[in-house]
Amino acid sequence: QHRKKMASSLLWICILLHVVKSEVCTEMTHNVCYCNGRNLSYIPDVNAETQILDFSFNYLPSLNQSFFPQLLDLKHLDLTRCQIHHIDENAFQHVRGIATLILTGNPIAYTSNSTFSELHQLQRLVLVDTGLFSIADVRMCHMTNLQELNVGTNRLLSISIPACFSKFKDFRKLDLHANNISVIRRDHTAVLGRMQNNITIILSRNPILHIETGAFRNIYLQELELRNAFVSCNASKDGLKALVGLTVEKLVLGRYYGDRASRVDDVHGSLAGLCLINFKEINLRQKEWTGRILPLFDCMSNATKVTINQGRTSFMESIQLRKTKELIITKSDIRVMPTEQLSHHHTLEKLTITESKNPIVFDYGFCDMPSLKYVDVSNNQLVTKKSWQLLFQETPNIQYLNMSFNSEANFDFKGLQGFRNLEVLDFHRTKISCVREYVDMTDLNRLQYLDLSYTGSTFTHPLSFQGLGNLRVLKMSSSLFLGDVLKHLFVNLTQLEMLDVSFSSIEHLPLESFGNLKQLTQLIASGNKLMSVDFLTNPSLLSLIRLDAAENHISAIPDNVLRNLPKTLQTLDISFNPVDCSCSQASFIVWIQNHKNIMKNWHDTYCRSDSTSTKPRVHDFDSEYCTHVVTGKILGSIFAVVFLLAASALVYKFQFHCFVLLKGYTTSQQTECHYDAFVIYSSKDESWVTGELVENLEKGVPPVQLCLYERDFEVGRSITSSIIEDGIMGSRKVIVVVSRHFVDSTWCRFEFEIAQSWQLLGGGSNIIIIMLEDVEKEMSRRVFGLHRYLRRNTYLEWKDNPISKVRFWTRLRKAVISKTET
Ligand SMILES: *[C@@H]1O[C@H](CO)[C@@H](O)[C@H](O)[C@H]1NC(C)=O
Ligand SMILES: *[C@@H]1O[C@H](CO)[C@@H](O)[C@H](O)[C@H]1NC(C)=O
Ligand SMILES: *[C@@H]1O[C@H](CO)[C@@H](O)[C@H](O)[C@H]1NC(C)=O
Ligand SMILES: *[C@@H]1O[C@H](CO)[C@@H](O)[C@H](O)[C@H]1NC(C)=O
Ligand SMILES: *[C@@H]1O[C@H](CO)[C@@H](O)[C@H](O)[C@H]1NC(C)=O
Ligand SMILES: *[C@@H]1O[C@H](CO)[C@@H](O)[C@H](O)[C@H]1NC(C)=O
Ligand SMILES: *[C@@H]1O[C@H](CO)[C@@H](O)[C@H](O)[C@H]1NC(C)=O
Ligand SMILES: *[C@@H]1O[C@H](CO)[C@@H](O)[C@H](O)[C@H]1NC(C)=O
Ligand SMILES: *[C@@H]1O[C@H](CO)[C@@H](O)[C@H](O)[C@H]1NC(C)=O
């Protein structure tokens, strides 16, 4: 039977494996199907409504009519690197609705005239790396909706396109990168000249040797990319000149990163041709071009946007930017901020100088630049100790100032009038050397974004952010907050939407801090030492969507806080906190588990644990275990209650013994005896006690001092404590008068028991028993210890005849007076 079971489970595994294996395509969503990289030679069953089919990296040497199933909704077909050699006529008949066809990396032999004849809807055709020699080899004239043709990485010798392209109304982009184009003649560009729409042409990485002068005259292009497009510097120089009369929106020149360096000596003239081209925007990647290029900016002076990547210092020597609104210089080797060259430019609106290779000195200011709105000088290892008033003079319209990721900057915003329009100020990770206790920012009342994180700032003054009534984002990660400054710092920032106070060693965020922050949606307080998030209960936090409290010291969030969380909260991150996963916090943990949808980094929310190697996840906490523990606890408590009851019953029963035991230990040493003997007797035997016992002992010679509770006990003290403290402890001996009444009396039995306990403790009282009358054995058993006592010890028997009486009193007096045996 065992074997049968095993066989059947093996069978199931096989079936499962089969099912998994047969699912060759992954349908991400209903209409998207990925069958890539499976070396398939057929199209497996795909949803008939599939719109996107990625069938790249399979094996389809020959495509014929019956290959594609009917997929009328298909819009995007990717057949990259499927080793397609041959495509039959009508091969795409069943997928003729496609708008995008990608055939990259297939060694297609274009044999048929009607290969793509079905594809009237095509908008984008990608024939990269298909061994194409001429665009004319592909019949495309029926593709009247074509927008983009990418024939890069082929062996094309010419840029000429079929005449029918001039009728393609939406044609936008012709990508001819990495072909074998060395000559461009006027007749090659004739069709381009007839096209109405300004298209983008990419000619990068071609070995262009010669361009016929005027080949591009009166041609309008959106963009022309000529990176690494010429065989030599001479070719480049002549080629650019030959572009005379071209009008282009954006011109992209220069080299690709990592391309072989070209000759450096003749750079001077190589860009001279730029002056003959009309362009609005130029993007130049320089790197290997060295030397003085004086005409560079001359020819760029009419451009509105100039981007220079990896330029040399010498570029900056004579900047003539008549119309330039935007200047972007990245990865250059400039060492001094070109303030002198750029000052007095009235058109410049945006200036970006970032990622410079060398530390930039910024000691002289920009001056008289009334249009300047945007200044990004981040990432330059820049050091400046000058006051901002000196660095920006007569630049009243600066709205954006990004000083982040530099070495050191001053934040002496003395006289900030010049920055009245500032909206964004970013000092992220730039050390701020601040000369004063706090910066008066009251003039920056348009400021919306302020980043002072990782600047080494310390906040001591509660009014530091006074006047920033429009601030929406405040980032101050890794700051220091002294005293109770946090209570006041944010109170007037009523428009604040995002506050970042992470990694600032904050131990407590007072509830009052968020008094007026009704717009606050994001609060980031991770990496602090918070133990509680009680501040969340501040009713002002009406809009809070996200709280990041990861990496704090939070062990639990109490029920009342959980109940009063902002209603808008969608994300709560308490990962990497020492969450207390004991059953006492079970309700919190169950809350977490029930709110997985809002718990960010839920899988990194760990329980507090002593072992460093394995931290249990809150995720794995089994709350059922706690219900067991709770039942256990209930049982335990029931048991404990029962035990306590039993114990207290016992204690109650023997309370006086306990009392004596305790008392005995504490007082046995210092007890002073006031009486010779304490008499335990039943009140019903009182006549005998007063008539006989007192008469004979107290009035005899030497007199014996007796303690009788009815006569000697202080009024007002409790009888028990009197019995114990005065009677038994205060007397050297105890005389027990045993009679039937004695046996019947609870009090007497109790007193006798105490006396026995006291004697057992070595308290000293010797017990002398007088049998007033014959008590039956059965009866004596009712008094604890009496029967045994009588058996073991001698006792005095009272007999009502004169001779016995004399003997009785003599023996009794001797027993009372005799020294206490210890
Ligand atoms: C792909 O399949 C073909 C035949 O279907 C086979 O010749 C080829 O070796 C396979 N390639 C890989 C990588 O499995
Ligand atoms: C189409 O090609 C497949 C192999 O790829 C072949 O089995 C089938 O017979 C061909 N059909 C036609 C109509 O040529
Ligand atoms: C393809 O069409 C051209 C003209 O459009 C024709 O000259 C040529 O013979 C055709 N080739 C084939 C193989 O049909
Ligand atoms: C590029 O074209 C030239 C002729 O202009 C030819 O000699 C050379 O082999 C071609 N190069 C490639 C890689 O096709
Ligand atoms: C093409 O560019 C020219 C000159 O820049 C412009 O006048 C024309 O409107 C542009 N055409 C289109 C379709 O954008
Ligand atoms: C570049 O052209 C100049 C003349 O314009 C010529 O003297 C020089 O030899 C050429 N350089 C190369 C590498 O062809
Ligand atoms: C810039 O434009 C002015 C006229 O607006 C023209 O005279 C000048 O030649 C142009 N400069 C360049 C380099 O194109
Ligand atoms: C400032 O520049 C840094 C680095 O270039 C960038 O990451 C950051 O987003 C910029 N700050 C703003 C507010 O745009
Ligand atoms: C907040 O604004 C009030 C009224 O303008 C002002 O009295 C108070 O000093 C301000 N507090 C802070 C901390 O900016």
Side-chain angles (χ1 to χ4, degrees):
Q1 205 177 356
H2 221 70
R3 230 190 271 163
K4 220 169 151 188
K5 245 188 195 167
M6 220 144 93
S8 86
S9 34
L10 270 177
L11 188 70
W12 271 112
I13 290 172
C14 290
I15 289 171
L16 267 175
L17 281 177
H18 182 76
V19 168
V20 169
K21 218 180 146 196
S22 68
E23 198 184 86
V24 280
C25 296
T26 320
E27 265 183 70
M28 297 303 279
T29 62
H30 189 59
N31 297 327
V32 184
C33 191
Y34 292 92
C35 309
N36 48 338
R38 282 159 229 230
N39 203 23
L40 296 173
S41 297
Y42 62 98
I43 300 245
D45 280 343
V46 296
N47 194 314
E49 284 152 33
T50 301
Q51 290 181 359
I52 296 177
L53 176 60
D54 182 349
F55 204 74
S56 55
F57 296 92
N58 284 301
Y59 184 70
L60 310 169
S62 173
L63 279 185
N64 65 26
Q65 191 177 339
S66 54
F67 183 75
F68 291 105
Q70 194 86 347
L71 297 171
L72 293 178
D73 293 329
L74 198 67
K75 291 277 172 285
H76 179 109
L77 177 60
D78 188 345
L79 295 171
T80 298
R81 297 199 195 279
C82 284
Q83 302 184 42
I84 300 169
H85 289 273
H86 178 81
I87 301 176
D88 261 12
E89 284 183 35
N90 309 326
F92 295 103
Q93 186 183 341
H94 293 148
V95 292
R96 57 180 168 268
I98 53 174
T100 299
L101 176 61
I102 302 172
L103 285 166
T104 298
N106 289 294
I108 302 166
Y110 299 88
T111 51
S112 170
N113 269 358
S114 48
T115 300
F116 301 120
S117 62
E118 314 275 344
L119 305 177
H120 294 279
Q121 310 295 321
L122 215 57
Q123 294 172 1
R124 187 170 165 237
L125 179 59
V126 181
L127 296 171
V128 171
D129 193 12
T130 54
L132 197 61
F133 280 98
S134 164
I135 294 177
D137 286 350
V138 187
R139 306 281 148 179
M140 288 183 280
C141 283
H142 58 283
M143 299 180 193
T144 48
N145 292 304
L146 201 66
Q147 294 175 9
E148 181 184 335
L149 176 64
N150 190 340
V151 285
T153 318
N154 282 301
R155 293 173 186 175
L156 304 180
L157 294 167
S158 159
I159 74 164
S160 64
I161 47 177
C164 57
F165 272 54
S166 60
K167 293 191 203 103
F168 294 180
K169 279 202 211 67
D170 299 319
F171 197 71
R172 289 274 173 275
K173 189 171 176 186
L174 176 62
D175 190 341
L176 293 159
H177 77 269
N179 274 289
N180 196 7
I181 300 164
S182 62
V183 177
I184 299 175
R185 270 194 263 278
R186 257 185 248 177
D187 53 324
H188 295 162
T189 58
V191 181
L192 282 175
R194 288 205 295 276
M195 293 180 77
Q196 297 300 307
N197 31 347
N198 302 335
I199 64 173
T200 294
I201 297 182
I202 298 171
L203 279 170
S204 303
R205 285 193 214 266
N206 274 290
I208 297 175
L209 187 67
H210 175 69
I211 298 176
E212 191 179 351
T213 303
F216 285 88
R217 195 186 297 277
N218 297 327
I219 288 179
Y220 297 92
L221 295 178
Q222 179 60 38
E223 184 175 335
L224 178 61
E225 239 192 78
L226 288 169
R227 292 165 80 176
N228 250 27
F230 296 95
V231 266
S232 65
C233 277
N234 271 4
S236 160
K237 181 175 145 189
D238 296 339
L240 286 180
K241 279 183 187 156
L243 295 178
V244 60
L246 169 69
T247 303
V248 60
E249 194 71 24
K250 181 176 176 185
L251 188 58
V252 181
L253 296 173
R255 311 215 142 243
Y256 284 107
Y257 179 77
D259 275 347
R260 202 167 45 86
S262 58
R263 301 276 312 267
V264 294
D265 52 352
D266 200 23
V267 178
H268 178 85
S270 74
L271 288 172
L274 282 179
C275 287
L276 303 170
I277 307 170
N278 298 308
F279 56 90
K280 289 218 179 88
E281 205 179 297
I282 182 159
N283 189 321
L284 189 59
R285 183 174 197 136
Q286 291 278 318
K287 199 174 179 178
E288 295 89 358
W289 294 358
T290 55
R292 289 160 53 81
I293 312 179
L294 291 174
L296 177 66
F297 282 99
D298 285 345
C299 291
M300 294 178 182
S301 65
N302 284 347
T304 50
K305 180 174 176 181
V306 176
T307 304
I308 295 177
N309 192 306
Q310 308 197 343
R312 305 286 305 212
T313 316
S314 48
F315 291 120
M316 306 310 302
E317 283 174 4
S318 65
I319 302 177
Q320 293 291 318
L321 299 170
R322 270 189 289 276
K323 295 185 179 168
T324 308
K325 291 183 177 169
E326 190 172 351
L327 176 62
I328 300 168
I329 300 172
T330 57
K331 298 185 180 163
S332 73
D333 70 343
I334 55 172
R335 289 165 193 273
V336 179
M337 189 62 77
T339 49
E340 208 181 327
Q341 296 92 324
L342 293 175
S343 285
H344 308 291
H345 270 295
H346 288 204
T347 54
L348 199 64
E349 292 172 8
K350 288 181 88 174
L351 173 65
T352 302
I353 298 178
T354 63
E355 296 177 72
S356 296
K357 295 266 186 294
N358 309 303
I360 296 186
V361 179
F362 190 9
D363 274 350
Y364 301 97
F366 290 101
C367 183
D368 180 27
M369 299 174 76
S371 305
L372 197 60
K373 287 183 183 148
Y374 179 104
V375 178
D376 181 356
V377 288
S378 61
N379 248 314
N380 286 320
Q381 309 166 55
L382 189 136
V383 177
T384 176
K385 301 213 161 125
K386 288 283 189 304
S387 95
W388 289 85
Q389 203 183 10
L390 294 175
L391 292 178
F392 293 93
Q393 300 169 42
E394 296 170 62
T395 54
N397 286 309
I398 293 185
Q399 293 171 1
Y400 177 102
L401 180 54
N402 194 340
M403 275 290 297
S404 63
F405 298 97
N406 279 304
S407 298
E408 191 177 340
N410 198 341
F411 192 32
D412 182 13
F413 264 88
K414 196 160 116 196
L416 276 166
Q417 294 92 332
F419 293 88
R420 283 232 166 95
N421 289 308
L422 205 60
E423 289 171 7
V424 176
L425 182 57
D426 190 346
F427 275 98
H428 188 89
R429 286 194 195 268
T430 297
K431 185 174 176 292
I432 288 181
S433 41
C434 197
V435 274
R436 300 195 253 164
E437 185 197 354
Y438 89 104
V439 180
D440 180 4
M441 290 192 272
T442 37
D443 277 329
L444 304 181
N445 62 353
R446 295 206 178 156
L447 201 64
Q448 296 183 9
Y449 181 105
L450 178 60
D451 190 342
L452 295 172
S453 44
Y454 301 97
T455 55
S457 299
T458 302
F459 293 88
T460 49
H461 203 291
L463 299 179
S464 293
F465 296 132
Q466 199 181 23
L468 302 185
N470 281 308
L471 203 62
R472 290 191 157 76
V473 176
L474 177 56
K475 298 183 179 179
M476 41 201 325
S477 218
S478 186
S479 297
L480 212 58
F481 301 97
L482 296 188
D484 60 353
V485 72
L486 272 172
K487 249 187 203 169
H488 312 286
L489 211 49
F490 313 125
V491 293
N492 284 349
L493 307 179
T494 50
Q495 299 300 313
L496 206 62
E497 289 164 12
M498 196 261 210
L499 176 62
D500 182 351
V501 288
S502 56
F503 299 97
S504 297
S505 304
I506 301 172
E507 288 174 2
H508 177 59
L509 269 176
L511 197 73
E512 305 92 297
S513 312
F514 306 102
N516 296 316
L517 306 191
K518 294 200 171 76
Q519 310 289 330
L520 196 68
T521 55
Q522 296 194 58
L523 178 56
I524 299 167
S526 50
N528 284 304
K529 296 176 181 168
L530 296 175
M531 308 234 280
S532 89
V533 291
D534 292 0
F535 52 83
L536 281 182
T537 57
N538 189 322
S540 283
L541 294 175
L542 297 168
S543 321
L544 196 70
I545 292 174
R546 170 181 171 213
L547 171 67
D548 183 350
E551 295 178 65
N552 275 289
H553 295 176
I554 299 163
S555 62
I557 302 178
D559 281 348
N560 65 321
V561 177
L562 292 178
R563 258 180 275 123
N564 292 309
L565 290 180
K567 300 264 181 299
T568 43
L569 198 68
Q570 286 171 14
T571 308
L572 176 62
D573 189 345
I574 54 160
S575 58
F576 299 106
N577 273 289
V579 174
D580 181 356
C581 291
S582 65
C583 288
S584 60
Q585 299 300 341
S587 66
F588 171 52
I589 297 190
V590 170
W591 184 91
I592 296 181
Q593 291 178 341
N594 289 343
H595 290 77
K596 267 181 234 167
N597 54 332
I598 69 163
M599 301 306 296
K600 182 117 186 287
N601 295 325
W602 150 246
H603 286 279
D604 286 326
T605 308
Y606 294 99
C607 296
R608 177 171 55 205
S609 155
D610 295 331
S611 86
T612 44
S613 52
T614 54
K615 273 195 178 156
R617 287 188 161 89
V618 170
H619 173 248
D620 300 327
F621 181 83
D622 182 7
S623 58
E624 296 217 337
Y625 162 79
C626 278
T627 40
H628 292 318
V629 168
V630 167
T631 352
K633 270 195 182 153
I634 290 172
L635 285 178
S637 345
I638 291 174
F639 179 78
V641 166
V642 169
F643 177 82
L644 270 178
L645 281 176
S648 34
L650 280 173
V651 166
Y652 178 76
K653 177 125 202 262
F654 296 103
Q655 56 182 317
F656 301 109
H657 304 74
C658 296
F659 182 76
V660 168
L661 285 172
L662 288 174
K663 203 74 194 175
Y665 273 118
T666 49
T667 57
S668 60
Q669 299 308 316
Q670 317 93 318
T671 312
E672 241 184 75
C673 293
H674 306 296
Y675 302 102
D676 292 313
F678 171 60
V679 187
I680 300 176
Y681 64 99
S682 158
S683 51
K684 289 180 178 153
D685 298 325
E686 198 182 339
S687 53
W688 183 83
V689 171
T690 43
E692 297 280 351
L693 194 67
V694 173
E695 281 301 312
N696 281 291
L697 288 183
E698 287 198 344
K699 299 199 174 134
V701 183
V704 169
Q705 185 66 45
L706 292 179
C707 173
L708 307 180
Y709 68 80
E710 283 187 344
R711 184 189 70 186
D712 299 317
F713 284 177
E714 264 177 59
V715 182
R717 280 185 72 187
S718 92
I719 298 175
T720 34
S721 69
S722 297
I723 290 171
I724 292 159
E725 281 175 32
D726 299 345
I728 297 173
M729 291 178 188
S731 311
R732 288 192 296 110
K733 303 273 159 132
V734 174
I735 296 172
V736 183
V737 183
V738 180
S739 66
R740 269 176 236 274
H741 302 304
F742 173 90
V743 174
D744 283 341
S745 156
T746 347
W747 269 115
C748 292
R749 293 205 302 264
F750 163 65
E751 285 170 305
F752 179 56
E753 281 167 22
I754 303 267
Q756 288 180 82
S757 308
W758 186 239
Q759 191 176 23
L760 264 176
L761 273 172
S765 289
N766 285 353
I767 297 172
I768 303 162
I769 293 195
I770 296 170
M771 298 294 288
L772 205 56
E773 53 190 345
D774 232 11
V775 179
E776 288 113 44
K777 240 192 200 163
E778 293 313 307
M779 269 188 108
S780 73
R781 278 189 209 280
R782 279 167 54 193
V783 182
F784 177 79
L786 179 61
H787 182 70
R788 204 170 26 142
Y789 202 90
L790 292 177
R791 264 195 332 193
R792 291 198 189 152
N793 299 279
T794 48
Y795 49 90
L796 298 167
E797 267 178 294
W798 172 252
K799 290 214 170 92
D800 209 0
N801 64 69
I803 301 166
S804 310
K805 272 187 190 171
V806 172
R807 264 216 335 261
F808 176 87
W809 292 122
T810 318
R811 280 180 67 198
L812 181 60
R813 178 175 291 275
K814 219 169 149 186
V816 173
I817 290 172
S818 74
K819 277 215 169 145
T820 309
E821 298 154 18
T822 47

